[in-house]
Amino acid sequence: MRDETKCLHSGYTPENGGPGVMPIVQSTTYRFDSTEHIGDLFNKPTEYMYSRFANPTVDAVEKKIADLEGGVGAMCTSSGQAASLLSVLNLCSAGDSLVSTGTIYGGTVNLFAVTLKKLGIECIFVDADDTPENISNAFKPNTKAFFCETVANPALDVCDISKLAEIAHAHKVPLIVDNTFATPILCKPFDFGADIVVHSTSKYMDGHALQCGGVIVDSGKFDWCNGNYPEFTEPDESYHGIVYTEEFGNQAYIVKARMQLMRDFGCYPAAHSAFLLNLGLETLAVRMERYCENGQKVAEYFEASDKIESVHYAGLKSDKFYDLCQKYLGGKASGVVSIVIKGGKQAAIKFMDGLKLASNEVHVADIRTCVLHPASATHRQLTDEQLVAAGVNPGMIRFSVGLENIEDIIEDIEQSLSKI
């Protein structure tokens, strides 16, 4: 099936006489006819047994997302941050390190640089545009993962996934790609060598600003038996001595994440949240077309304005990431545009407060147009040096284009710019 069809049909197939729409299984528990049956599931979980691990509604959504990304399995989480955290903790323990590009979401920078540091895991940040040699020099013998974003939030840099995957694999570590802004409709990182994909499903996948969520997708392609990951190849004493690579083959990574980390952290979404996410996924392919179309026109309008200092949107031929956008995104750069208005921070605030259709909110990738000032909001916790590394100018505005009529969006921009 093609993506548009997968969005509607993957993950759930109605039984004869069954509901045509994926049902909500709002239950924490599942009943069995014997003690032995339940005991067997704690040796090797092959059925639903408790909704902290798995739930039929959530499972259907996981299967749909895995199919869209081309992976062998997926695990939903209660937020995008939880997905990023568990994707790393499934590989790294105290005393290990990971490498990450610097131009990533501010919350993830804080997660890696502060919180993981408290857990004894070092994060080494690199410039994604640097030479392979310089990036490679950041890796240490204890490095267990390499992390990047397909389209950086909010700098909108497009990552050269193939280049980073080659570097990661040379060091026998997997490449984890946050594919939130691109979605599998615009980019499938596994096709370019990535090994693990994460998303904040709160953004384009949900699309309606209804509920927070995240997901981890396993490509099933990485060799966990390369000697760097004994937790995959040696008995897990916390789970009856199971050896993940022996029992689960190319699904070892995602099963381990569920059996170890979801068991202990319990950050699994509710069935109703997954049901709402599925409604968003059903229209994802259609919505991404309009997001990209509107985003392109808004970026071109900003570029032509004499009140804008700079525009960052990889769909523009003038953008430094235009060629990478063609390679990885099919020339479609999503619906998020980053701009810097002449006059600095105060001019930016005046412009944002003057908008009438677009709302000023802490969100992005919604069906409704919204704006945010990253330096004082999502990236507020970063130092000046970290802001620069993340590609965040103090006067930058993240303009998330919605699905309204494009003329209405541009007229709103025009009337607010006229007040500066």
Side-chain angles (χ1 to χ4, degrees):
M1 295 187 293
R2 277 72 171 178
D3 284 343
E4 295 85 351
T5 310
K6 288 179 180 180
C7 284
L8 293 169
H9 295 283
S10 285
Y12 172 71
T13 302
E15 297 179 354
N16 184 36
V21 175
M22 183 185 75
I24 303 173
V25 181
Q26 195 67 50
S27 179
T28 61
T29 55
Y30 307 87
R31 296 187 178 183
F32 303 92
D33 56 9
S34 73
T35 304
E36 183 181 7
H37 192 158
I38 295 177
D40 288 342
L41 292 181
F42 276 90
N43 284 328
K44 189 173 181 179
T46 54
E47 300 173 60
Y48 307 109
M49 57 180 170
Y50 193 62
S51 285
R52 191 175 81 239
F53 305 99
N55 169 281
T57 307
V58 185
D59 178 63
V61 174
E62 291 169 342
K63 285 182 169 65
K64 177 175 286 189
I65 295 173
D67 196 16
L68 284 166
E69 284 286 9
V72 297
M75 182 179 75
C76 283
T77 61
S78 55
S79 70
Q81 282 294 84
S84 295
L85 173 64
L86 297 192
S87 74
V88 172
L89 290 184
N90 205 31
L91 303 171
C92 297
S93 302
D96 291 333
S97 68
L98 76 147
V99 175
S100 174
T101 57
T103 48
I104 57 175
Y105 169 57
T108 310
V109 172
N110 197 71
L111 170 66
F112 289 174
V114 179
T115 302
L116 286 186
K117 184 178 180 181
K118 293 178 181 178
L119 301 179
I121 300 170
E122 178 190 15
C123 183
I124 305 156
F125 291 99
V126 297
D127 181 352
D129 294 335
D130 210 338
T131 64
E133 292 75 20
N134 286 341
I135 295 174
S136 187
N137 288 337
F139 285 72
K140 298 180 178 181
N142 66 357
T143 298
K144 296 295 180 68
F146 193 7
F147 188 97
C148 68
E149 293 182 359
T150 308
V151 180
N153 176 16
L156 303 186
D157 294 8
V158 178
C159 197
D160 192 341
I161 299 172
S162 296
K163 168 183 141 182
L164 300 191
E166 187 175 337
I167 295 169
H169 296 160
H171 291 273
K172 296 183 178 182
V173 306
L175 178 65
I176 305 173
V177 178
D178 184 332
N179 200 34
T180 297
F181 272 13
T183 81
I185 304 303
L186 300 185
C187 178
K188 299 183 190 300
F190 295 154
D191 290 346
F192 301 100
D195 303 289
I196 309 296
V197 160
V198 297
H199 288 269
S200 169
T201 61
S202 321
K203 310 306 189 296
Y204 283 126
M205 282 189 167
D206 168 77
H208 298 74
L210 292 176
Q211 39 77 46
C212 289
V215 70
I216 306 171
V217 188
D218 181 3
S219 71
K221 297 177 181 178
F222 191 78
D223 178 16
W224 303 110
C225 299
N226 65 14
N228 284 347
Y229 300 92
E231 285 192 354
F232 288 83
T233 58
E234 297 177 4
D236 178 3
E237 299 306 327
S238 77
Y239 220 105
H240 313 294
I242 232 170
V243 177
Y244 293 104
T245 52
E246 292 180 2
E247 294 287 344
F248 303 103
N250 70 344
Q251 293 187 346
Y253 175 89
I254 203 69
V255 173
K256 177 177 174 293
R258 192 182 300 274
M259 291 171 66
Q260 281 187 344
L261 300 176
M262 191 58 74
R263 174 195 64 193
D264 293 347
F265 285 89
C267 48
Y268 204 63
H272 189 259
S273 295
F275 177 82
L276 294 175
L277 172 57
N278 186 63
L279 291 179
L281 288 170
E282 289 181 338
T283 62
L284 179 63
V286 178
R287 288 185 291 106
M288 290 308 295
E289 286 288 335
R290 177 58 69 87
Y291 286 126
C292 294
E293 180 183 326
N294 282 358
Q296 183 71 31
K297 291 179 180 177
V298 165
E300 289 171 357
Y301 180 86
F302 279 131
E303 188 176 45
S305 173
D306 59 3
K307 295 188 177 182
I308 305 299
E309 182 178 312
S310 62
V311 182
H312 301 278
Y313 186 76
L316 296 173
K317 290 184 178 180
S318 59
D319 193 273
K320 66 179 289 188
F321 296 101
Y322 178 80
D323 289 340
L324 290 179
C325 180
Q326 304 304 306
K327 177 179 178 179
Y328 293 111
L329 305 171
K332 299 175 181 178
S334 86
V336 185
V337 183
S338 285
I339 60 170
V340 176
I341 292 183
K342 292 178 181 178
K345 182 177 179 179
Q346 293 308 311
I349 291 172
K350 188 172 184 179
F351 167 70
M352 293 169 65
D353 290 346
L355 293 166
K356 297 178 180 179
L357 177 66
S359 56
N360 201 331
E361 59 185 64
V362 186
H363 194 49
V364 67
D366 189 4
I367 54 172
R368 303 163 191 85
T369 299
C370 54
V371 293
L372 184 77
H373 183 242
S376 61
T378 54
H379 290 61
R380 189 183 188 93
Q381 72 274 24
L382 303 189
T383 64
D384 290 342
E385 291 77 14
Q386 287 175 324
L387 284 173
V388 171
V392 179
N393 183 298
M396 175 186 284
I397 294 171
R398 187 182 68 190
F399 197 99
S400 179
V401 182
L403 303 186
E404 300 94 344
N405 184 285
I406 187 59
E407 297 302 325
D408 292 328
I409 297 173
I410 289 177
E411 285 175 9
D412 190 33
I413 295 170
E414 189 174 36
Q415 64 84 23
S416 190
L417 283 178
S418 69
K419 299 173 183 176
I420 301 175

